[in-house]
Amino acid sequence: MGTSDLKLLSTPSSPFALRVKIALNIKGLDYDNIVETMNPKSDLLLQSNPVYKKIPVLIHGDKSISESAIIVEYIDEVWKNNGTPILPSNAYDRAIARFWVAYIDDKWYNSSKNLLVAQNDESKKACFEQVEEVLLRLEDVLNKYSEGKDFFGGENIGFLDICFGSYLSWLRVTEKVIGKKVLDETKTPALVKWAEAFVAHPAVKGNLPETDKLLVFAKSLVQRMVAAATPK
Amino acid sequence: MAPANQEEEVRLLGKWPSPFSNRIVLALKLKGVSYKYSEENLANKSDDLLKYNPVYKKVPVLVHNGNPIAESLVILEYIDETWTNNSFLSQDPYERALARFWSKTLDDKILPAIWNACWSDEKGREKAVEEALEALNILENEIKDKKFFGGETIGLVDITANFIGYWVEILQEIAGLELLTIEKFPKVFKWSQEFINHPVIKEGLPPRDELLAFFKASASKK
């Protein structure tokens, strides 16, 4: 199977691009990582993802695949005999995994983004509570599905591990920005332990953005978002 | 008919005017799966709904042998994987990725743009309509000359696009807008006619006059 014809359009800060990198690593695949500046967007990006013009995009030969969760499923299906399986083998378990990935891309994404940009104390408190609610739910999900093992996927990292775990660097940055622990061992001990196992996993380690660089990026992003939202 | 090789219980908690709920009705009909239907009143949620979808408390929810699944696109994939007759997703990973992409794009971008245009007020109307037309244009470029998004047979994207095939015509009439017309989007329009006349789909869509009355009543409450 020609893996030299794999290209990934990415940026170093994107948690979505990180998902794809982890999936490619799990399957032991080589790929050409093309870092997009996004300003301007490259012709290759515009051609391969004309609907959204966003990264990540996986280019496999003459095929382009967009949307990180969809790319991860594609990788798992094409290279099903490589490495370990990412999606569970049972249809119901797959449905559960997909449900929780859709949940985090809605509830985690929005609540953590709101927390990062919250400007006043009242809003910070409300956003923090929302983030906590999401984490408490995920703690239950982890306890229910890990069966005492390290990951949501059990012994091996699975779909939900990859998709949620890719947000961890941004979670750490958020903690620095708000000056408060978000992932708290007194509230969600299983998730704290899970986060440690996730970042140490061979398919993940070495691919995470440096927190300091990400912090600088995050601060400028927050400034831009706040400016854009401020009525003139 | 789907083989009943075991005592199987399939339940659907839904709401008849909802296109999301209707997707599941269409999928189960395409597979020939019998199921028990419960009409949910979202102003007065049943204990079952709260039990089976505690996270969102919304419909549709499919319950298969006591196991609940929520989120229409997740349910659709589950149905296709569990009852393997009349497949609506290809076995080819790239075709599957494309179908998933288009279903997600319908839900994240296209449906909201059209819905917003149909319910927009005077102030936001022009911009909302522009976005809705852009969204329909994306679909026009994608359907090309295929009979269905799935090719010769109904696929995941066709089911997901039930709102485009059937609901849009009713909503745009109520709003007094011309969004999906044969002149503006001939290919999507042609697809919509193939879709609503498909023998199985036809039986699964809610009656037009009832749907029109339902949305007219909603419109008058705004």
Side-chain angles (χ1 to χ4, degrees):
Chain A
M1 193 57 171
T3 58
S4 56
D5 53 356
L6 272 175
K7 294 182 174 59
L8 172 65
L9 307 185
S10 70
T11 63
S13 62
S14 164
F16 307 106
L18 180 56
R19 292 172 175 181
V20 180
K21 291 175 186 171
I22 295 170
L24 291 166
N25 291 343
I26 289 171
K27 299 297 183 178
L29 299 168
D30 289 323
Y31 62 98
D32 186 8
N33 185 34
I34 300 175
V35 177
E36 289 282 334
T37 61
M38 299 306 277
N39 193 11
K41 297 186 184 189
S42 73
D43 286 341
L44 184 56
L45 175 58
L46 297 174
Q47 273 161 33
S48 58
N49 188 0
V51 175
Y52 289 108
K53 307 175 179 60
K54 282 185 179 176
I55 60 96
V57 182
L58 183 73
I59 300 174
H60 182 202
D62 58 353
K63 305 176 177 120
S64 319
I65 305 107
S66 306
E67 293 299 299
S68 60
I70 293 173
I71 301 172
V72 171
E73 289 216 53
Y74 174 80
I75 291 169
D76 197 39
E77 288 174 14
V78 174
W79 290 280
K80 58 179 181 283
N81 298 319
N82 286 38
T84 51
I86 296 172
L87 274 285
S89 52
N90 169 284
Y92 187 69
D93 294 336
R94 276 200 293 281
I96 297 298
R98 289 172 181 144
F99 173 86
W100 287 110
V101 167
Y103 171 82
I104 54 148
D105 279 350
D106 172 16
K107 301 293 184 191
W108 171 261
Y109 177 78
N110 286 308
S111 67
S112 61
K113 184 177 73 163
N114 292 339
L115 180 59
L116 187 61
V117 306
Q119 293 296 293
N120 62 52
D121 285 342
E122 196 185 308
S123 149
K124 281 179 190 175
K125 185 164 177 283
C127 291
F128 191 83
E129 278 167 16
Q130 282 185 348
V131 165
E132 252 192 336
E133 197 186 300
V134 173
L135 288 173
L136 287 170
R137 256 197 210 287
L138 291 171
E139 178 84 355
D140 279 346
V141 174
L142 181 59
N143 286 327
K144 185 171 176 186
Y145 293 105
S146 62
E147 294 178 344
K149 307 262 167 60
D150 283 344
F151 302 110
F152 288 93
E155 216 164 282
N156 297 315
I157 62 170
F159 197 39
L160 184 53
D161 297 282
I162 295 170
C163 291
F164 186 49
S166 294
Y167 283 120
L168 280 170
S169 303
W170 277 90
L171 190 158
R172 296 301 174 209
V173 155
T174 303
E175 288 177 330
K176 286 203 168 16
V177 168
I178 68 173
K180 192 176 171 182
K181 259 195 209 180
V182 170
L183 207 54
D184 187 338
E185 63 273 6
T186 64
K187 297 185 180 145
T188 55
L191 280 177
V192 170
K193 208 167 146 275
W194 163 82
E196 284 164 24
F198 182 81
V199 302
H201 190 283
V204 177
K205 205 163 57 174
N207 289 277
L208 299 169
E210 288 169 40
T211 313
D212 296 336
K213 282 194 180 151
L214 195 59
L215 183 59
V216 169
F217 179 82
K219 281 182 174 168
S220 88
L221 181 66
V222 171
Q223 264 179 355
R224 274 180 281 149
M225 284 168 77
V226 169
T230 307
K232 300 201 198 303
Chain B
M1 281 308 253
N5 48 13
Q6 56 183 99
E7 260 313 298
E8 187 140 62
E9 203 209 39
V10 182
R11 280 188 67 190
L12 174 62
L13 286 75
K15 221 178 122 52
W16 72 266
S18 156
F20 304 100
S21 181
N22 181 253
R23 289 170 181 176
I24 314 307
V25 170
L26 297 179
L28 291 169
K29 276 208 187 305
L30 284 163
K31 299 287 188 178
V33 174
S34 0
Y35 62 99
K36 274 192 258 188
Y37 179 78
S38 312
E39 179 68 21
E40 284 291 326
N41 176 0
L42 296 182
N44 186 13
K45 296 177 190 197
S46 72
D47 289 340
D48 274 352
L49 180 60
L50 299 175
K51 175 170 104 176
Y52 289 131
N53 191 3
V55 177
Y56 293 109
K57 309 176 179 59
K58 287 205 261 185
V59 293
V61 182
L62 185 78
V63 187
H64 185 206
N65 295 332
N67 297 319
I69 304 134
E71 292 300 289
S72 65
L73 296 185
V74 176
I75 300 171
L76 288 176
E77 289 218 37
Y78 175 79
I79 290 172
D80 202 51
E81 289 170 16
T82 303
W83 291 279
T84 53
N85 57 321
N86 299 341
S87 257
F88 41 80
L89 257 179
S90 165
Q91 287 306 302
D92 174 74
Y94 183 57
E95 295 300 320
R96 291 161 75 81
L98 287 177
R100 287 168 177 149
F101 174 84
W102 284 104
S103 293
K104 190 166 198 284
T105 300
L106 275 160
D107 272 2
D108 289 351
K109 200 176 162 79
I110 300 173
L111 261 63
I114 298 172
W115 179 264
N116 288 341
C118 291
W119 297 109
S120 57
D121 55 19
E122 287 268 354
K123 193 162 156 249
R125 175 146 302 184
E126 202 183 314
K127 184 161 193 283
V129 168
E130 196 185 302
E131 284 178 10
L133 294 174
E134 267 169 33
L136 282 166
N137 201 41
I138 292 173
L139 269 186
E140 183 79 1
N141 291 332
E142 177 52 24
I143 184 76
K144 301 189 185 82
D145 294 306
K146 291 182 288 197
K147 183 176 180 189
F148 296 114
F149 288 98
E152 282 303 304
T153 55
I154 295 273
L156 179 73
V157 181
D158 301 281
I159 298 171
T160 306
N162 63 342
F163 176 84
I164 310 285
Y166 195 65
W167 271 255
V168 171
E169 187 264 313
I170 293 166
L171 292 175
Q172 69 185 14
E173 180 184 306
I174 294 170
L177 290 173
E178 282 191 353
L179 298 172
L180 177 57
T181 65
I182 194 171
E183 295 86 14
K184 290 190 174 119
F185 303 106
K187 295 179 181 182
V188 177
F189 187 86
K190 179 166 170 285
W191 167 83
S192 73
Q193 302 307 295
E194 290 280 6
F195 181 76
I196 63 176
N197 289 306
H198 182 284
V200 178
I201 301 292
K202 193 157 66 175
E203 297 301 311
L205 294 169
R208 190 186 184 277
D209 52 354
E210 287 178 33
L211 204 57
L212 183 65
F214 175 84
F215 281 109
K216 268 193 176 157
S218 294
S220 66
K221 287 189 197 134
K222 284 186 196 285

